[in-house]
């Protein structure tokens, strides 16, 4: 069961909402090869929402699954009219799939949750309580991570520590995508359309008052995780290069440091020759230095290439995703007026 930590102090100027709960809560669930989890997930979410007496819709995003995930979604859609389906044309990755779900969410509050039931839907009640207090973001922080190896926990802790040190907006430790966002926050996130997306960094960058809820993360209900260490490594690189210029700055500093060391070493050898008249020696040392400097140059070029590749992809201005079909839920969306209604209408959002 989740419990808010004591450091959750209300920021100055926070105004509690007059509503006791969102008029409509959109629950966005991106899924890739989660056929065994879709129906249990829907049952668990529905049970939690009935307990809260909360009107809701579930926005499933099929991220190019190769199993019966889409079939299970359609079965649910045929029985439950509050189910929406966004069927992507291929596998675009979780970050893009999550964006597609947010684009179609119509609620005045949106919850992001995975289909594997590692994140318990019961925590959504605590999310709504934070939303009622006036927070625009209420995110879940993992107090315990059951079913994960010590190596994964250690590397995750190192990644979050690094991102807090170099990122423009501090990334909360042990926090995934599981969170509630107000309509204002969702509109802000959907307005950011960069192709290389690291959603945790995007969520942190938009700001807005946030509250943390601690919970214990369970093992997967069924199936195997799609995140191997290679994919996690690439996601870490994506998060680092899409959120900060720190690698470029570090490359510059490292280049200056190596150049300064080479200058001092060269001065030392010149003075040694002038004073002691030593013959030319040290071919192994010279070869090692040449290889070292060549490696440094290739490393720095690699860092520059990562950023250059991202610039190349952004300049092509391709849409973020394409869909085979979008089936909206039959739940009536909250009434909005003026600019807010225009921002919230799914038809007004481009996939670009």
């Amino acid at each position: 069961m989740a419990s808010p930590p004591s450091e959750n102090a209300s920021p100055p100027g926070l105004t509690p909402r007059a509503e006791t709960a969102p008029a409509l809560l959109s629950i966005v669930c991106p899924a890739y090869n989660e056929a065994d989890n879709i129906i249990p997930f829907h049952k668990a979410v529905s049970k939690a929402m009935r307990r809260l007496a909360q009107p809701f819709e579930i926005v499933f995003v099929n991220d190019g699954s190769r199993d019966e995930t889409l079939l299970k979604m359609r079965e649910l859609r045929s029985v439950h009219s509050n189910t929406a389906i966004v069927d992507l044309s291929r596998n675009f990755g979780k970050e893009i799939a999550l964006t597609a779900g947010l684009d179609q969410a119509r609620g005045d509050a949106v919850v992001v949750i995975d289909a594997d039931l590692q994140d318990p839907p019961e925590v959504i009640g605590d999310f709504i309580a934070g939303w009622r207090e006036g927070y625009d973001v209420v995110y879940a922080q993992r107090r315990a991570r059951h079913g994960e190896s010590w190596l994964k926990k250690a590397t995750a802790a190192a990644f979050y520590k690094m991102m807090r040190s170099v990122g423009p907006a501090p990334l909360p430790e042990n926090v995934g995508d599981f969170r509630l966002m107000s309509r204002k926050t969702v509109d802000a996130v959907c307005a950011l359309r960069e192709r290389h997306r690291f959603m945790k960094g995007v969520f942190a960058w938009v700001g807005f008052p946030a509250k943390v809820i601690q919970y214990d993360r369970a093992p997967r209900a069924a199936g195997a995780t799609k995140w191997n260490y290679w994919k996690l490594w690439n996601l870490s690189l994506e998060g680092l290069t899409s959120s900060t210029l720190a690698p470029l700055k570090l490359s510059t500093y490292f280049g200056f440091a190596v150049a300064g060391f080479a200058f001092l070493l060269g001065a030392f050898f010149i003075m040694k020759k002038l004073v002691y008249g030593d013959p030319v020696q040290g071919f192994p040392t010279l070869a090692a230095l040449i290889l070292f400097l060549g490696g440094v140059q290739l490393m720095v070029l690699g860092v520059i290439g990562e950023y250059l590749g991202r610039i190349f992809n952004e300049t092509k201005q391709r849409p973020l995703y394409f869909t085979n079909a979008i089936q909206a839920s039959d739940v009536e969306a909250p009434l909005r007026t003026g600019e807010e209604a225009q921002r919230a209408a799914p038809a007004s959002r481009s996939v670009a």
Side-chain angles (χ1 to χ4, degrees), residues 53 96 103-104 141 161 174 191 234 273 283 314 324 338 343:
I96 298 295
D103 285 344
Q104 299 301 322
Q141 186 177 54
K161 183 177 181 180
N174 277 329
N234 287 328
K273 173 65 176 177
F283 176 77
E314 293 293 338
N324 292 320
R343 291 198 310 266

Side-chain angles (χ1 to χ4, degrees), residues 245-289:
L245 297 178
L248 287 176
K249 294 180 180 179
L250 289 176
S251 298
T252 301
Y253 299 149
F254 190 43
F256 277 118
V258 171
F261 173 75
F263 176 81
L264 293 176
L265 191 63
F268 169 76
F269 285 128
I270 291 174
M271 292 301 297
K272 186 177 179 182
K273 173 65 176 177
L274 294 176
V275 174
Y276 297 102
D278 289 344
V280 177
Q281 295 178 355
F283 176 77
T285 302
L286 180 62
L289 284 175

Side-chain angles (χ1 to χ4, degrees), residues 228-311:
N228 54 37
Y229 284 105
W230 178 247
K231 290 183 178 179
L232 289 172
W233 167 255
N234 287 328
L235 180 64
S236 300
L237 288 181
E238 194 72 66
L240 186 62
T241 53
S242 65
S243 302
T244 176
L245 297 178
L248 287 176
K249 294 180 180 179
L250 289 176
S251 298
T252 301
Y253 299 149
F254 190 43
F256 277 118
V258 171
F261 173 75
F263 176 81
L264 293 176
L265 191 63
F268 169 76
F269 285 128
I270 291 174
M271 292 301 297
K272 186 177 179 182
K273 173 65 176 177
L274 294 176
V275 174
Y276 297 102
D278 289 344
V280 177
Q281 295 178 355
F283 176 77
T285 302
L286 180 62
L289 284 175
I290 292 174
L291 291 175
F292 172 71
L293 292 175
V296 169
Q297 291 172 347
L298 290 175
M299 182 190 70
V300 173
L301 284 175
V303 172
I304 296 173
E306 286 287 334
Y307 283 94
L308 184 61
R310 280 154 178 75
I311 295 173

